[in-house]
């Protein structure tokens, strides 16, 4: 399943446009721009499944680093600082990864 089945091309483009420069990624702004904050819990869970590249049930730091590339192959990777901040915001139990339940709550923030 592709993200384009859940989000429109315009939403994806707006989200990526908001964070083209290194260290400009803000997850709250990005989620609003792509419309994830207004999607159902089911839709967010589907997005989580796409982002969970290794199907472990969690999104780990390496998967987060390539977060934007899931939206467009030409998008940049997150910087180390952006990745660590993003992980810290979504890692509700401090285990170094984001589970689907944490991700759903985190997107709705």
């Amino acid at each position: 399943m592709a993200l384009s089945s859940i989000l429109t091309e315009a939403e994806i483009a707006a989200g990526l446009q908001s964070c083209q420069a290194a260290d400009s990624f803000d997850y709250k702004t990005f989620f609003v721009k792509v419309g994830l904050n207004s999607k159902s819990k089911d839709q967010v869970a589907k997005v989580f499944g796409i982002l969970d590249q290794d199907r472990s049930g969690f999104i780990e730091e390496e998967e987060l680093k390539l977060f934007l590339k899931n939206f467009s192959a030409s998008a940049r990777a997150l910087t180390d600082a952006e990745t660590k901040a993003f992980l810290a915001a979504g890692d509700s139990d401090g285990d170094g990864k984001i589970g689907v339940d944490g991700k759903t709550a985190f997107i709705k923030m």
Side-chain angles (χ1 to χ4, degrees), residues 59-85:
I59 299 176
E60 293 90 8
E61 190 168 345
E62 279 308 304
E63 290 168 320
L64 268 186
K65 187 165 195 62
L66 302 176
F67 175 79
L68 296 176
K69 292 196 170 285
N70 289 287
F71 292 86
S72 172
S74 62
R76 69 180 180 85
L78 295 179
T79 65
D80 288 343
E82 289 170 322
T83 303
K84 289 188 185 318

